[in-house]
Amino acid sequence: MTELKDLTAAEWKIMRIVWEERKAMTREVYTIAMERHGWSPATVKTLLRRIIDKGYLSATKIGNGFLYRPAKSSIAVVGGAVRSLLDNAVDGTGPVLAQLVETTPLSQKDLDLLQNMIDQKRKEQKP
Amino acid sequence: MTELKDLTAAEWKIMRIVWEERKAMTREVYTIAMERHGWSPATVKTLLRRIIDKGYLSATKIGNGFLYRPAKSSIAVVGGAVRSLLDNAVDGTGPVLAQLVETTPLSQKDLDLLQNMIDQKRKEQKP
DNA sequence: TCAGATCGTTGACAAATGTAGACGGAATGA
DNA sequence: TCATTCCGTCTACATTTGTCAACGATCTGA
């Protein structure tokens, strides 16, 4: 588990695009980033390079340019980032998690998923 | 809801100290920050000032210096920060939340709390 | 084969962040 | 009352981040 440098705000926005697209050439990324954030192609290219350096994207040469893919799933990366934020929750992680569940719109399926996790943790804890 | 600028990594560390202490004079903060991060008093003073400017701390003059207090609870601030991170979770917030619950050590009480939230949300959703 | 469109790389620069010294004023113990 | 200590403010400066233009290499349609 190589030590990953944190993503910056702008880099997150780019990552989100690549996660959504699952894989994308520079052009695709900057077209979307243009609409979504008004960034110039040059800006996007710089961000892509920096993200590559940080190891969150991998690139494969295809013809002229590169095809980018996420090097890690969004769940893993977001989860990790959230986890380190949670360390700042002085009153404990539980309350924050609860508050999050409370204020997040969740589908039936999501609720079931959560329910399962909780049941499971109870079992681990009991005996 | 005034638009709060985000805290930076170093600022989070200071906030954490004040949240833990509930209220603290500059001296207390930088003593702890010294042990914990090796920061000089000057550094801490700068950070405190910047955090005040951002509105996450309030200060009351006491004798020579200031008494700092959190302007917002850690739950609220951490919760808010987590929420905006979650927007990057392309596969939906539910899975990330579930993965968090799964991998976080939670007390019996925490689990009950979570359970309540879930039950409540189910009720809201059903009818 | 050649002109135009694209690409990646390099260089740049302002703003934000991390880190801290120095200084003048206030508190305090002798 | 005076020296010491501590405080807040000001200033500084290196690094990181946000933004982008320009340039030479490369692809592609005619």
Side-chain angles (χ1 to χ4, degrees):
Chain A
M1 188 187 321
T2 328
E3 216 32 67
L4 283 278
K5 276 199 68 177
D6 284 343
L7 292 166
T8 70
E11 288 162 0
W12 274 107
K13 301 222 169 75
I14 297 295
M15 281 306 292
R16 183 181 223 285
I17 293 174
V18 182
W19 275 319
E20 283 172 5
E21 304 297 311
R22 313 180 68 84
K23 62 190 187 322
M25 303 287 291
T26 307
R27 165 80 77 106
E28 288 173 78
V29 178
Y30 76 55
T31 302
I32 297 176
M34 177 86 75
E35 294 165 6
R36 209 176 275 185
H37 313 290
W39 288 338
S40 85
T43 299
V44 175
K45 291 182 203 172
T46 299
L47 291 173
L48 282 169
R49 180 167 38 75
R50 288 180 184 168
I51 297 174
I52 291 274
D53 289 348
K54 290 189 180 179
Y56 289 90
L57 283 180
S58 71
T60 331
K61 189 115 207 165
I62 291 213
N64 202 1
F66 288 113
L67 178 70
Y68 300 95
R69 299 168 180 285
K72 307 193 163 283
S73 76
S74 87
I75 294 199
V77 177
V78 174
V82 169
R83 177 157 312 288
S84 58
L85 260 189
L86 286 179
D87 289 345
N88 297 118
V90 163
D91 306 296
T93 302
V96 180
L97 241 32
Q99 190 243 24
L100 280 170
V101 170
E102 186 186 10
T103 58
T104 301
L106 294 167
S107 70
Q108 207 62 46
K109 190 164 282 190
D110 288 337
L111 289 173
D112 293 345
L113 198 56
L114 260 326
Q115 184 66 65
N116 275 358
M117 296 285 77
I118 291 180
D119 294 345
Q120 192 175 317
K121 283 197 87 73
R122 274 196 207 284
K123 251 180 243 148
E124 288 165 16
Q125 205 148 88
K126 264 293 158 50
Chain B
M1 188 187 319
T2 328
E3 219 29 71
L4 282 278
K5 277 198 67 178
D6 285 343
L7 292 166
T8 70
E11 288 162 0
W12 274 107
K13 300 224 171 72
I14 297 295
M15 281 307 292
R16 183 180 221 285
I17 293 173
V18 182
W19 275 319
E20 284 172 4
E21 303 298 310
R22 314 180 67 82
K23 61 189 188 318
M25 303 287 293
T26 305
R27 164 80 77 103
E28 288 173 78
V29 178
Y30 74 57
T31 301
I32 297 176
M34 178 85 75
E35 294 166 5
R36 208 175 277 185
H37 312 291
W39 288 340
S40 83
T43 298
V44 175
K45 291 182 203 172
T46 300
L47 290 173
L48 282 169
R49 181 167 38 74
R50 289 181 184 167
I51 297 174
I52 291 274
D53 288 348
K54 290 189 179 179
Y56 289 89
L57 283 179
S58 72
T60 331
K61 188 115 208 167
I62 291 212
N64 201 0
F66 288 113
L67 178 69
Y68 299 96
R69 299 168 179 284
K72 307 193 163 281
S73 76
S74 86
I75 294 197
V77 177
V78 174
V82 170
R83 175 158 311 289
S84 57
L85 260 188
L86 286 180
D87 289 344
N88 296 118
V90 162
D91 306 296
T93 302
V96 180
L97 240 32
Q99 190 244 23
L100 280 170
V101 170
E102 186 186 9
T103 58
T104 302
L106 293 167
S107 70
Q108 208 60 47
K109 190 165 281 189
D110 288 336
L111 288 173
D112 292 347
L113 198 55
L114 259 327
Q115 184 66 65
N116 275 357
M117 295 287 69
I118 290 180
D119 293 347
Q120 193 174 315
K121 284 196 87 74
R122 275 195 205 286
K123 249 181 245 148
E124 288 167 15
Q125 206 148 87
K126 266 292 156 51

